[in-house]
Amino acid sequence: MKIAIVNQIASTGGWRYVAKLSNALKQLRSDIEITVFFKEIEGAEDIFNKMKSYDIAVCPMPNKLEVKKFVEKKKFKNEKINKFSNKIRRIIYNLKNFFRKKEDKSFESFLEDKDVILYAWPYRIKAPKVSKTIFFIPHDFIYTHSWGMEGIGFYNKNYWKTTLEEHETFVQKGAVPIVSSDYIKDEFNHTFPNSKEKPHVVYLSTLNDFPSLPPNQAKDFFEREHIKDEYVLFASNVGPHKNFINVLGAWYYVKQKYPNLKLILSGYGNNDILGKVNTPYYMDHTNNQEDYDIKSTGLLSGEEFSTLMQNAKMVINASLCEAGNGSGLDAWDMGVPVVMSNIPAFQNQIDKLGVKAELFDPKNSHDIARAIIKLLDNPELAKENVRVSKEALQNYTWKNVAEQYLEIFEERQK
């Protein structure tokens, strides 16, 4: 079986998803050949290199030449010179357009040669014009919602319109959607009620398989990051749906009982965050690396991230809307306690996978603080949650995930 995975751009979690799925499929069936196409890998270089070690072919996608509609310009005072200039410009325009079409056709011809075409991150891209069945993973429908912060970030009405148009090209093409929770299945059906293809639900296992740093390197890492106290890990970006603002408020209440406990942020875009929380309403900026309540590390290597998570008192995910708790999957597998939002997708994971976490109302800073303090005050409860969750993830591996994907692929080839 030949599989083409188009993953032109993705979050770090999206790249981990592709790497784990690709490797699991290859281990499941020796005859499977996988080629992953990409355009951008910023922040995922170590994951990218690990994919190569799995004997997965990774190739850059052809660069489309963006050619806008030709518009004549009058750059010169002399009309004859303007006509000549525009004639030359039009020739260049036509050449660019010719090579763009040729490149696009070449890539689609390559896809036609594959048994399975999987679009793993169908954002900023449209469905290809191929005769084969396309599979796609919409991940979530966060872009269809407003977070009360219009104009901040890219979750706005323009982004909604653009992304909806992109996804509609897959739906109209009859592409087969695969999602990772029953909540996202409902979101898909709500967004595309007339879709002939209904979503297949395949829950995910842990996304991270990087080892922790050796003790001496771990010591250097924590010294470099100025982390010397116990901490809770917020492993995410600070997009509006990630709900950092309410975690910040909760931290004021947590530090009333645990004044030396820190909140560490890790993830893409989390750079230069350093502050003291002297009120539940906001954080004060500071430059003091020795006296802070909250700080960020930015995006880390796989080994550094594993080390940071492995040594956390717990991992918190306060999202308002997600396809699933990605950082929770890693924490459950590593044996780290989890506190998380009581939202549908997270509850789906508890019900399906059998993991355990302390739940809270993500819009209530007092309740977020309560959940954190409950696990700090009850180490035996935290330990039991860890035991149950780690065992649950050991019973649901990427082999189980790959088997379900393969069943979906093969069903369409009959």
Side-chain angles (χ1 to χ4, degrees):
M1 178 183 288
K2 295 180 180 179
I3 300 176
I5 299 179
V6 182
N7 200 57
Q8 77 286 353
I9 183 171
S11 67
T12 308
W15 271 110
R16 286 176 174 162
Y17 186 116
V18 169
K20 298 289 282 186
L21 176 61
S22 300
N23 188 40
L25 285 168
K26 286 184 71 68
Q27 291 184 345
L28 198 63
R29 283 261 303 270
S30 59
D31 66 317
I32 289 179
E33 297 178 11
I34 299 177
T35 304
V36 178
F37 287 93
F38 70 94
K39 277 195 172 181
E40 298 179 27
I41 57 167
E42 182 183 356
E45 288 82 1
D46 54 347
I47 302 167
F48 184 78
N49 291 329
K50 179 159 280 195
M51 290 173 67
K52 291 181 178 179
S53 72
Y54 295 154
D55 194 29
I56 297 165
V58 284
C59 305
M61 288 181 67
N63 290 319
K64 290 184 180 179
L65 296 171
E66 299 293 340
V67 183
K68 298 179 182 178
K69 183 179 179 180
F70 182 80
V71 178
E72 290 193 352
K73 294 182 180 180
K74 293 184 178 181
K75 293 184 176 181
F76 308 97
K77 293 181 180 180
N78 189 299
E79 190 62 29
K80 288 184 178 180
I81 296 176
N82 278 326
K83 284 185 178 181
F84 179 76
S85 173
N86 284 318
K87 185 176 181 180
I88 298 300
R89 288 180 57 246
R90 187 178 287 278
I91 291 171
I92 295 171
Y93 166 86
N94 288 332
L95 283 171
K96 285 184 175 180
N97 209 29
F98 170 78
F99 285 113
R100 177 182 64 82
K101 289 179 179 178
K102 187 176 180 181
E103 256 184 352
D104 291 352
K105 184 178 179 181
S106 174
F107 182 59
E108 289 176 349
S109 297
F110 177 88
L111 295 180
E112 285 279 12
D113 186 50
K114 302 300 180 181
D115 301 304
V116 173
I117 302 169
L118 174 64
Y119 274 67
W121 195 265
Y123 296 88
R124 290 195 246 169
I125 199 167
K126 294 182 178 180
K129 295 177 181 178
V130 293
S131 62
K132 296 283 185 71
T133 299
I134 304 165
F135 302 86
F136 74 117
I137 307 169
H139 289 286
D140 57 48
F141 291 88
I142 290 168
Y143 71 89
T144 66
H145 309 307
S146 172
W147 309 98
M149 300 176 73
E150 301 303 318
I152 299 177
F154 53 79
Y155 290 124
N156 51 46
K157 198 164 186 178
N158 287 334
Y159 183 74
W160 164 65
K161 288 180 179 178
T162 301
T163 309
L164 193 65
E165 287 175 1
E166 292 167 353
H167 280 173
E168 281 178 339
T169 66
F170 286 88
V171 172
Q172 292 167 2
K173 188 71 179 174
V176 179
I178 305 174
V179 299
S180 57
S181 66
D182 286 276
Y183 168 71
I184 296 300
K185 177 188 72 174
D186 294 339
E187 286 272 87
F188 181 94
N189 291 333
H190 173 75
T191 307
F192 301 109
N194 297 321
S195 174
K196 293 180 181 179
E197 295 289 345
K198 297 305 178 184
H200 296 265
V201 182
V202 181
Y203 282 80
L204 307 184
S205 187
T206 181
L207 294 170
N208 187 46
D209 60 358
F210 286 93
S212 295
L213 294 168
N216 61 326
Q217 293 182 34
K219 182 174 180 292
D220 293 341
F221 165 71
F222 284 115
E223 287 180 355
R224 185 178 74 247
E225 295 293 337
H226 300 277
I227 301 173
K228 60 182 180 180
D229 296 303
E230 293 183 328
Y231 60 89
V232 171
L233 178 61
F234 182 97
S236 182
N237 61 57
V238 288
H241 66 293
K242 299 294 187 179
N243 195 34
F244 172 64
I245 189 170
N246 279 308
V247 177
L248 188 154
W251 208 253
Y252 172 79
Y253 302 115
V254 171
K255 68 176 285 190
Q256 302 311 304
K257 187 167 186 179
Y258 291 92
N260 295 321
L261 188 70
K262 310 300 183 187
L263 178 65
I264 304 297
L265 281 64
S266 174
Y268 182 79
N270 287 342
N271 300 308
D272 300 322
I273 298 173
L274 188 71
K276 293 281 291 182
V277 182
N278 299 311
T279 168
Y281 309 122
Y282 50 79
M283 178 183 75
D284 296 322
H285 294 299
T286 180
N287 287 322
N288 191 343
Q289 292 279 4
E290 302 303 320
D291 183 25
Y292 63 84
D293 295 321
I294 299 175
K295 84 179 301 291
S296 65
T297 65
L299 193 62
L300 301 171
S301 71
E303 290 79 6
E304 289 171 337
F305 176 74
S306 294
T307 301
L308 189 66
M309 180 171 282
Q310 190 70 61
N311 288 276
K313 293 294 292 182
M314 67 188 74
V315 169
I316 181 171
N317 190 323
S319 284
L320 301 173
C321 180
E322 291 279 0
N325 187 351
S327 59
L329 287 169
D330 291 339
W332 288 318
D333 182 63
M334 288 185 189
V336 180
V338 174
V339 287
M340 66 185 190
S341 303
N342 189 3
I343 59 175
F346 291 1
Q347 188 64 58
N348 286 164
Q349 288 176 300
I350 290 175
D351 296 340
K352 171 68 178 180
L353 304 178
V355 292
K356 281 197 169 187
E358 188 62 30
L359 302 178
F360 54 72
D361 175 0
K363 295 295 286 184
N364 187 327
S365 291
H366 286 280
D367 200 46
I368 297 173
R370 174 204 58 77
I372 295 169
I373 291 171
K374 181 177 179 179
L375 289 190
L376 292 171
D377 286 349
N378 297 276
E380 289 304 314
L381 172 62
K383 186 177 179 180
E384 177 61 12
N385 285 356
V386 162
R387 184 192 68 78
V388 172
S389 301
K390 190 173 180 65
E391 185 176 309
L393 261 294
Q394 289 173 343
N395 291 328
Y396 187 76
T397 68
W398 273 92
K399 179 183 178 183
N400 303 113
V401 177
E403 287 172 343
Q404 294 172 76
Y405 267 84
L406 194 58
E407 184 179 348
I408 295 168
F409 296 156
E410 291 181 331
E411 178 64 29
R412 286 304 171 129
Q413 292 180 323
K414 291 179 180 177

